[in-house]
Amino acid sequence: MAEMLPAWVTNDTAEGTESEGDAIRMLNTLQTNASYLEQVKRERGDPQAQLEAMQGFLERSGLKVEDLDRLNIIHVTGTKGKGSACAFTECILRSYGLKTGFYSSPHLVQVRERIRINGQPISKDLFNKYFWLVYNRLEETKDPAHASMPAYFRFLTIMAFHVFLQEKVDLAVVEVGIGGTYDCTNIIRAPVVCGVSSLGIDHTSILGDTMEKIAWQKGGIFKPGVPAFTVAQPERPLEVLRERAQERKCPLYLCPELDDFEEGSRPLELGLAGAHQRSNAALALQLARMWLQRRGCQGLGELKEVPPSTELLGRPVPLAPAFRLTDAMIQGLRDTEWLGRTQVLSHGPVTWYLDGAHTTSSIQACVRWFRQAALNQDKPHDGSEVRVLLFNATGDRDTAALLKLLVPCHFDYAVFCPNFTEVSVANNADQQNFNVTLENALTRCLENQRTWTRLLEEKVGQDPWLPSPLRVGGLLQPAPARGSLLLVPPAPRPLNSPALVFPCLAQALRWVAQGRDPHLAAPAASGAHAHPAASSGAVLLREAAAVRVLVTGSLHLVGGALRLLVPALSQ
């Protein structure tokens, strides 16, 4: 896939004003995502109190909950794919000529990405205007009973509602932050339609440690009389969603597969790569069509009788009918852009594959996509190809389980680093996280390095001719046939590991690229990394005809990489 920048990159490239930078620095003082999660954990025993507190903040900012009814909201939750489903939905409805708002999280490069109008992050001027409008109103309404300010995510949610109302969007697509029931977006009382993307295990300390508990949380966004759609789910979680829908008098439907929309027509072209995006696209089609239908719009797409896929028959939730797609729907699916998800950047001999997967099921999908995408790339004539994994994970995720899924990709090196773009991020307010120290982040990376080494040793023990790197006398040995790494029988106690840890993304990316990516400086000539594998690997990376790098494990890691690899995104 050729590198393509989103349309908004070329707009609004003036340097940020001092006041815009001040706004982001002030926003950061309202706590970052990590402490928001801690706050949710503390308060989860009384969700009603949380929603009442959010409603109080909203009213202090000058809005009432009923004002949100005017936004014609599409409310979407899920464990994986909810952002992509939202992006597809927004682009479809924008293709109808509607003025769209889109609220999502997290941001990858700039915080303005979270609040979009017509697919583009709001301008620096608009961000500055609405930030101070909301902040000053909340400051002015402080009293002994209401002395606090909303946390980072809550503040941005309130700010997004102000933006969408005052900028007069026709609709707002709102992505849930965490879960559903307790999420601050759940003050929305009358959405037009709701959606639940694929469920999985994530944020277990907040949402519960089983799929059923997580499904219960997600079903908390269902509203009486408001239609909701979900994709194919495991049996028990789907049953929980059905029970939640019945409790809340919400009509819930199961989306047909995308194949059913393609019956008798050409395969659909999706703007987002990967087979797993097909269920997100199918969900988006149902959300968009139901929105158009309930708002009395034309051009719905005629319902058609298509026998549903046998996999979806006999489920406890009724199947929504497929329909003939309109030109606007087809165009919307094709034009969808969503940075950091199954994204490929071809920078000369170095190809970067970026995907913010961070759960076991999304990593599995990422592995399928990467192996297919790398397979489709032109192979070097001399066969000299080096594969590198760049990984980090945050929060309470089981990184050993995630890394185990990545072993079959046969990486020649694994590189671990924190999500910080530089050792010091003082000049980069968009990337600051006051709740994670460099020391803590590096400790996590060193744990990941040990885990990767152990997984490789276990794999080599099972299959002594697995084509993955192995240490010999403290160094990695090049294999002339493929310019990668030669496997030799393992020593009882390997002296070194093919896994490297760097203190920041910039150093990690520079080592991987070895001066061959025009957007990255060459690594320091000496002293950059004391590990012997770093110097031997540098030779291989400089001489390989093709270097393929998978960046995954964290959306924040992918965002930091994008900031360095595509400088235009930061302007």
Side-chain angles (χ1 to χ4, degrees):
M1 182 188 299
E3 176 182 348
M4 289 186 63
L5 297 184
W8 54 266
V9 170
T10 55
N11 300 330
D12 187 38
T13 54
E15 287 297 317
T17 62
E18 184 177 74
S19 53
E20 189 250 348
D22 290 344
I24 295 173
R25 278 185 283 276
M26 186 63 77
L27 173 66
N28 288 341
T29 69
L30 300 180
Q31 306 173 4
T32 58
N33 191 50
S35 60
Y36 171 68
L37 296 182
E38 287 302 317
Q39 184 176 11
V40 171
K41 278 186 251 185
R42 287 195 304 271
E43 298 175 354
R44 68 177 182 262
D46 191 354
Q48 195 55 42
Q50 289 183 59
L51 295 179
E52 287 172 4
M54 181 65 182
Q55 186 172 335
F57 288 129
L58 185 73
E59 290 174 356
R60 281 173 52 195
S61 78
L63 292 179
K64 292 185 171 60
V65 172
E66 44 269 36
D67 292 330
L68 307 184
D69 299 351
R70 306 201 310 268
L71 288 176
N72 303 315
I73 289 170
I74 298 172
H75 201 192
V76 182
T77 188
T79 305
K80 56 187 191 292
K82 66 181 187 291
S84 298
C86 287
F88 278 125
T89 305
E90 183 277 330
C91 196
I92 290 168
L93 291 170
R94 180 159 36 99
S95 297
Y96 276 84
L98 295 162
K99 184 174 183 179
T100 62
F102 180 12
Y103 178 59
S104 65
S105 60
H107 63 276
L108 293 185
V109 180
Q110 300 189 65
V111 69
R112 296 183 294 112
E113 297 165 30
R114 294 178 183 234
I115 305 174
R116 296 171 183 255
I117 293 177
N118 286 335
Q120 299 191 26
I122 58 172
S123 68
K124 293 174 180 176
D125 287 344
L126 277 186
F127 183 92
N128 189 51
K129 170 186 171 181
Y130 288 107
F131 175 86
W132 291 112
L133 181 150
V134 173
Y135 189 90
N136 290 334
R137 283 184 183 173
L138 289 166
E139 275 288 328
E140 291 161 5
T141 53
K142 277 185 177 179
D143 59 39
H146 304 95
S148 64
M149 293 287 279
Y152 185 94
F153 183 76
R154 290 179 178 179
F155 185 97
L156 285 170
T157 304
I158 293 167
M159 180 175 155
F161 292 146
H162 277 271
V163 171
F164 297 153
L165 284 165
Q166 293 201 37
E167 297 299 316
K168 295 181 170 54
V169 298
D170 295 315
L171 68 117
V173 179
V174 176
E175 179 190 358
V176 166
I178 302 286
T181 301
Y182 305 162
D183 190 70
C184 67
T185 65
N186 209 28
I187 59 168
I188 297 166
R189 62 174 199 169
V192 176
V193 62
C194 295
V196 182
S197 69
S198 190
L199 296 178
I201 300 291
D202 197 18
H203 297 299
T204 52
S205 60
I206 298 170
L207 304 180
D209 56 2
T210 68
M211 292 270 279
E212 290 80 6
K213 291 176 182 176
I214 290 169
W216 188 92
Q217 294 278 358
K218 305 294 184 184
I221 70 166
F222 296 155
K223 301 296 187 297
V226 175
F229 295 88
T230 188
V231 298
Q233 309 281 8
E235 185 176 353
R236 276 299 299 145
L238 184 61
E239 182 66 29
V240 172
L241 287 179
R242 184 187 68 82
E243 291 166 1
R244 289 288 270 164
Q246 286 182 336
E247 284 171 19
R248 293 170 166 260
K249 298 180 172 55
C250 160
L252 176 65
Y253 302 95
L254 195 61
C255 293
E257 294 180 352
L258 203 61
D259 295 1
D260 295 336
F261 292 94
E262 295 173 330
E263 189 77 24
S265 59
R266 288 182 303 173
L268 289 166
E269 183 183 343
L270 303 184
L272 305 182
H276 58 288
Q277 293 293 357
R278 291 178 64 81
S279 70
N280 298 327
L283 175 59
L285 287 169
Q286 295 289 351
L287 294 175
R289 189 184 189 281
M290 181 56 72
W291 189 95
L292 291 164
Q293 180 180 321
R294 296 197 78 203
R295 298 304 303 160
C297 299
Q298 301 298 312
L300 295 180
E302 176 191 350
L303 296 178
K304 60 181 183 178
E305 294 298 325
V306 177
S309 304
T310 53
E311 286 181 27
L312 301 181
L313 292 172
R315 296 295 179 102
V317 175
L319 188 70
F323 47 86
R324 300 190 191 284
L325 302 187
T326 64
D327 290 344
M329 291 172 180
I330 294 169
Q331 179 186 337
L333 292 176
R334 184 179 60 241
D335 293 348
T336 299
E337 296 172 340
W338 198 223
L339 291 183
R341 285 79 170 179
T342 59
Q343 183 176 2
V344 180
L345 300 175
S346 297
H347 290 185
V350 186
T351 305
W352 306 91
Y353 302 82
L354 302 108
D355 190 73
H358 51 272
T359 68
T360 52
S361 49
S362 59
I363 288 285
Q364 285 172 327
C366 171
V367 166
R368 287 193 295 270
W369 162 73
F370 171 70
R371 295 177 82 169
Q372 186 64 37
L375 197 65
N376 288 340
Q377 294 281 328
D378 292 335
K379 292 289 178 284
H381 295 303
D382 62 359
S384 59
E385 175 182 307
V386 175
R387 287 188 178 188
V388 181
L389 170 66
L390 177 55
F391 180 92
N392 191 37
T394 60
D396 53 9
R397 296 179 177 95
D398 183 354
T399 49
L402 303 183
L403 289 170
K404 187 173 184 177
L405 295 170
L406 290 160
V407 169
C409 289
H410 298 168
F411 291 105
D412 299 310
Y413 290 93
V415 175
F416 302 97
C417 70
N419 294 340
F420 305 125
T421 50
E422 303 284 352
V423 174
S424 170
V425 292
N427 296 323
N428 182 3
D430 285 283
Q431 300 279 324
Q432 281 181 333
N433 184 339
F434 295 144
N435 292 281
V436 179
T437 66
L438 179 60
E439 183 180 2
N440 289 343
L442 282 173
T443 299
R444 183 78 176 262
C445 292
L446 290 166
E447 290 171 358
N448 292 339
Q449 180 191 40
R450 287 191 290 271
T451 299
W452 182 259
T453 303
R454 175 177 56 78
L455 289 168
L456 276 189
E457 288 168 351
E458 289 173 359
K459 192 70 176 173
V460 169
Q462 296 163 10
D463 180 0
W465 299 109
L466 182 75
S468 58
L470 194 80
R471 288 71 62 207
V472 184
L475 292 175
L476 295 159
Q477 304 298 313
R482 61 184 286 258
S484 182
L485 296 166
L486 176 67
L487 182 84
V488 298
R493 295 179 61 83
L495 298 177
N496 286 305
S497 163
L500 303 175
V501 172
F502 289 87
C504 67
L505 256 167
Q507 289 189 28
L509 294 178
R510 285 197 287 265
W511 180 81
V512 171
Q514 289 295 318
R516 304 176 77 189
D517 184 318
H519 298 300
L520 297 171
S526 61
H529 202 294
H531 200 297
S535 55
S536 60
V539 174
L540 291 172
L541 289 163
R542 281 196 297 269
E543 294 179 354
V547 178
R548 310 205 190 284
V549 191
L550 175 62
V551 184
T552 193
S554 164
L555 274 168
H556 301 286
L557 177 77
V558 168
L562 278 170
R563 186 179 187 90
L564 296 168
L565 295 171
V566 189
L569 290 173
S570 304
Q571 293 175 347

